[in-house]
Amino acid sequence: MADQQMVMYEEEFRQIAAICERLTREANAKAVLLVDKNGQYITSNGETNDLDTTSLASLAAGTNAATNGLAKLIGEKDFPNNFLEGEKYNLHFSIVAQRAILVVMFDQRSSLGLVRLRVKRASEELANIFGAMLQKAQSQAQGAPFGEITDDDIDNLFSE
Amino acid sequence: MSFINYSSREINCKIVYYGPGLCGKTTNLQYIYNKTNPEAKGKMISLATETERTLFFDFLPLSLGEIRGFKTRFHLYTVPGQVFYDASRKLILKGVDGVVFVADSQIERMEANLESMENLRTNLAEQGYDLDKIPFVIQYNKRDLPNAAGVDELKRLLNPRSVPDFEASATVGNGVFDTLKAIAKLVLTELKKGG
Ligand SMILES: Nc1nc2c(ncn2[C@@H]2O[C@H](COP(=O)(O)OP(=O)(O)OP(=O)(O)O)[C@@H](O)[C@H]2O)c(=O)[nH]1
Ligand SMILES: [Mg+2]
């Protein structure tokens, strides 16, 4: 298939979560979200209780896909960083390792300059982890743990 | 592309509803949304024009239950069917795990069905997918209309490979869940194979 299957293991997940936690703190962000480029939510940190993170993930991926479509149209490879400015809240998007989108939500307690600076380091670190994760997924048996599921397991999902 | 998260013990899959303009893709998702328990669904997002034509996509997250301790989540998307939105359709196909082709049964929409099917094949190929290899089901929608073509005719034109297919009237929900279950099953079966 076109893209490689994304598999997230415990160890990498903890590392990723720690980076997001630090980014939230160092960037004075309200919240930080990490989203797969295809719209799957990975993790988040900060004040996310009143955020619909599933919807946010899907819309962030849609926005990113549209922005990259625009880039290609005018002969750019992509627009790796994007900024949306609101009255109260702002969103900063950046692409990590061609695989994920790092979303930072911030207000007047922070600034675009600070967010950019902190995002740069965080996304480099995240890129390393993603690289390792993809290698690991490649070397492990594909499809596990789903290799063991039976047709009955699948049927049971649909029994009312 | 499905996403397996060992940490949160979740498996996420992406299903895309494809088909010509006004065939009833959005109506399928609306029906599923209305008939699903609140705890099993998230918010439905529709990026639509003022006349309720899909502009970019509809999105509906669903939880189906657990398999072997893993929560299975399906993200349903629709594409905009209108011909000139092709760039958007390509974007939405990225990372797809399974496709539902919604055909409009009305005789006068046959040409549009065929064109959309061809468009699906081309756009998938651009992303490196082969329509003949990915989980795929077909729905013949709007069976309730008097000008609906015969199912035999629809099968002959749209389903030469005999993938699972279903008759439906999405406005009243006939066939909607049968279609969804069939594609979800194919996607999980593919995962089992280690796709
Ligand atoms: N009679 C009948 N009408 C239907 C059926 N399914 C959908 N419709 C109607 O067809 C029209 C278009 O439906 P949508 O679901 O918006 O179509 P769509 O495929 O999402 O269209 P685009 O977003 O433009 O691609 C609406 O007025 C629906 O009520 C059906 O099974 N029978
Ligand atoms: Mg629609």
Side-chain angles (χ1 to χ4, degrees):
Chain A
M1 282 212 190
D3 254 331
Q4 204 197 319
Q5 163 96 57
M6 170 109 115
V7 182
M8 176 75 70
Y9 300 97
E10 197 75 50
E11 184 193 343
E12 283 80 6
F13 187 79
R14 266 202 306 272
Q15 293 170 341
I16 287 173
I19 293 172
C20 290
E21 188 271 323
R22 197 193 64 214
L23 177 60
T24 310
R25 214 164 4 93
E26 291 184 347
N28 278 341
K30 181 174 151 66
V32 167
L33 261 96
L34 190 67
V35 177
D36 163 71
K37 233 174 48 176
N38 298 322
Q40 318 273 19
Y41 167 87
I42 299 173
T43 190
S44 61
N45 197 277
E47 302 166 33
T48 53
N49 280 344
D50 50 351
L51 281 182
D52 179 347
T53 49
T54 307
S55 298
L56 219 151
S58 159
L59 288 175
T63 305
N64 172 254
T67 309
N68 278 346
L70 286 174
K72 302 244 154 55
L73 274 185
I74 62 164
E76 279 291 326
K77 192 164 129 289
D78 53 14
F79 296 121
N81 295 292
N82 287 295
F83 174 54
L84 298 179
E85 187 176 11
E87 233 170 72
K88 218 166 132 205
Y89 296 117
N90 314 297
L91 289 172
H92 184 275
F93 302 91
S94 59
I95 304 298
V96 175
Q98 316 288 339
R99 268 318 287 249
I101 306 163
L102 184 60
V103 186
V104 179
M105 180 178 178
F106 63 99
D107 56 20
Q108 81 290 343
R109 288 176 293 173
S110 185
S111 68
L112 180 57
L114 179 66
V115 168
R116 274 204 180 125
L117 184 72
R118 300 304 190 206
V119 157
K120 192 162 179 295
R121 173 158 154 223
S123 57
E124 281 164 12
E125 291 174 358
L126 287 170
N128 288 335
I129 298 173
F130 272 98
M133 211 167 69
L134 286 181
Q135 265 183 345
K136 193 159 162 183
Q138 234 157 20
S139 64
Q140 309 234 342
Q142 279 286 299
F146 295 93
E148 295 150 31
I149 63 172
T150 61
D151 290 344
D152 281 347
D153 286 335
I154 296 176
D155 280 332
N156 285 339
L157 263 192
F158 298 103
S159 56
E160 263 100 321
Chain B
M1 185 85 331
S2 57
F3 170 28
I4 304 175
N5 191 335
Y6 281 88
S7 183
S8 55
R9 302 197 76 75
E10 279 177 18
I11 161 98
N12 288 299
C13 305
K14 176 172 179 177
I15 292 174
V16 174
Y17 283 68
Y18 213 93
L22 296 177
C23 67
K25 301 174 291 295
T26 299
T27 309
N28 263 270
L29 260 65
Q30 282 167 341
Y31 186 83
I32 295 166
Y33 180 81
N34 289 333
K35 294 291 170 185
T36 304
N37 294 330
E39 63 275 13
K41 69 186 173 193
K43 205 189 288 167
M44 176 161 167
I45 293 175
S46 290
L47 303 181
T49 67
E50 279 168 12
T51 55
E52 297 193 4
R53 302 296 300 268
T54 302
L55 176 67
F56 194 4
F57 58 76
D58 301 300
F59 168 69
L60 173 60
L62 283 184
S63 302
L64 278 189
E66 291 199 357
I67 293 189
R68 306 253 160 153
F70 274 75
K71 285 175 226 135
T72 57
R73 291 191 205 283
F74 284 84
H75 287 179
L76 312 185
Y77 284 83
T78 74
V79 299
Q82 293 182 85
V83 174
F84 61 91
Y85 285 132
D86 200 37
S88 305
R89 274 193 295 279
K90 290 181 196 192
L91 297 177
I92 291 149
L93 283 176
K94 288 199 170 144
V96 68
D97 293 300
V99 176
V100 173
F101 185 89
V102 180
D104 190 327
S105 292
Q106 297 177 90
I107 293 168
E108 57 269 34
R109 294 300 285 161
M110 209 56 80
E111 194 68 34
N113 288 328
L114 286 166
E115 202 178 298
S116 177
M117 185 71 86
E118 215 31 60
N119 176 256
L120 168 62
R121 185 177 288 284
T122 309
N123 285 344
L124 280 173
E126 272 184 31
Q127 315 279 341
Y129 299 100
D130 181 347
L131 179 59
D132 296 336
K133 299 213 171 100
I134 63 166
F136 180 49
V137 305
I138 299 176
Q139 178 187 81
Y140 310 116
N141 190 32
K142 305 198 183 181
R143 295 311 301 160
D144 56 298
L145 292 178
N147 53 343
V151 173
D152 288 350
E153 176 76 355
L154 285 158
K155 276 183 194 279
R156 191 176 60 77
L157 287 168
L158 298 170
N159 195 8
R161 223 160 38 85
S162 295
V163 300
D165 53 3
F166 303 88
E167 297 183 40
S169 299
T171 28
V172 292
N174 289 343
V176 168
F177 275 96
D178 293 335
T179 309
L180 173 63
K181 283 177 190 177
I183 191 65
K185 246 176 119 157
L186 287 182
V187 166
L188 290 171
T189 308
E190 187 69 24
L191 261 181
K192 182 184 154 188
K193 280 193 264 171

